[in-house]
Amino acid sequence: MTVISARRFLAPALVLAAFGASGCTQLRTHQGYVIDADLVNSVQPGVDTRKSVLSVLGTPTFAAGFQQQGDWYYISRDARNFAYNNPHVKSQTTLRISFDAKGTVTGIDRTGKEQIASISPMKKTTPTLGRKTSFFQQLFGNIGTVGAIGGGGSSQPSNTGRDKP
């Protein structure tokens, strides 16, 4: 094998190896609010109002609607994953700002990823009540029922107005 033919195979092999190794690179993602510690520290309970918090921190990620005064939540989450795997949360900060009935800040709470709820679905199916039918029974179950008596169709011919009784 000559040097020229070895180089001809070496270059594509290196490109292929680099492409394959890039699939093993860890991906970093950020979701939600970007928390600036200086801005958050500038919000003071008993001093700031909804309007001032909105101008300093911006629109909350979501607001609680069950309480009369309502709390505002700012959520920031960083996750990591490899290629097509599900992301794993590395850090999460939930900032809750509580207001009184007049709209004045009463408290600021921070929580981390310990508040994340882990949900394990059952066998990737949702249990239902009623008849158990297979895929083919669901697909072909209505054949012959259209127009049959008691099958949802009409047993009498329709009167379109052309025939007068």
Side-chain angles (χ1 to χ4, degrees):
M1 185 180 251
T2 65
V3 174
I4 294 173
S5 64
R7 286 184 184 169
R8 186 173 11 161
F9 292 114
L10 184 62
L14 288 175
V15 170
L16 185 63
F19 182 71
S22 68
C24 297
T25 303
Q26 190 177 35
L27 302 174
R28 299 172 53 187
T29 57
H30 177 82
Q31 297 171 324
Y33 186 74
V34 178
I35 294 178
D36 184 358
D38 293 333
L39 292 177
V40 172
N41 292 334
S42 70
V43 176
Q44 298 298 319
V47 176
D48 287 307
T49 62
R50 288 182 191 272
K51 187 175 181 180
S52 64
V53 171
L54 188 63
S55 66
V56 171
L57 298 179
T59 306
T61 306
F62 68 91
F66 294 113
Q67 301 171 345
Q68 180 67 20
Q69 58 271 17
D71 293 342
W72 285 2
Y73 294 88
Y74 295 88
I75 300 174
S76 174
R77 177 183 286 181
D78 290 318
R80 307 285 187 270
N81 67 311
F82 287 105
Y84 300 106
N85 296 334
N86 290 331
H88 299 284
V89 176
K90 291 295 181 184
S91 67
Q92 175 173 316
T93 303
T94 303
L95 180 68
R96 182 181 79 175
I97 301 179
S98 302
F99 298 95
D100 63 7
K102 295 179 182 178
T104 305
V105 176
T106 59
I108 300 171
D109 300 321
R110 285 185 194 222
T111 57
K113 73 177 193 175
E114 69 275 355
Q115 294 291 324
I116 299 174
S118 179
I119 300 172
S120 299
M122 288 179 29
K123 301 180 188 175
K124 296 186 178 181
T125 60
T126 303
T128 59
L129 301 174
R131 243 177 11 158
K132 303 284 185 195
T133 57
S134 69
F135 171 75
F136 291 108
Q137 287 171 331
Q138 290 180 8
L139 187 63
F140 299 116
N142 286 332
I143 294 177
T145 59
V146 178
I149 297 174
S154 173
S155 61
Q156 300 290 330
S158 65
N159 188 356
T160 58
R162 293 185 205 144
D163 302 330
K164 296 192 179 184

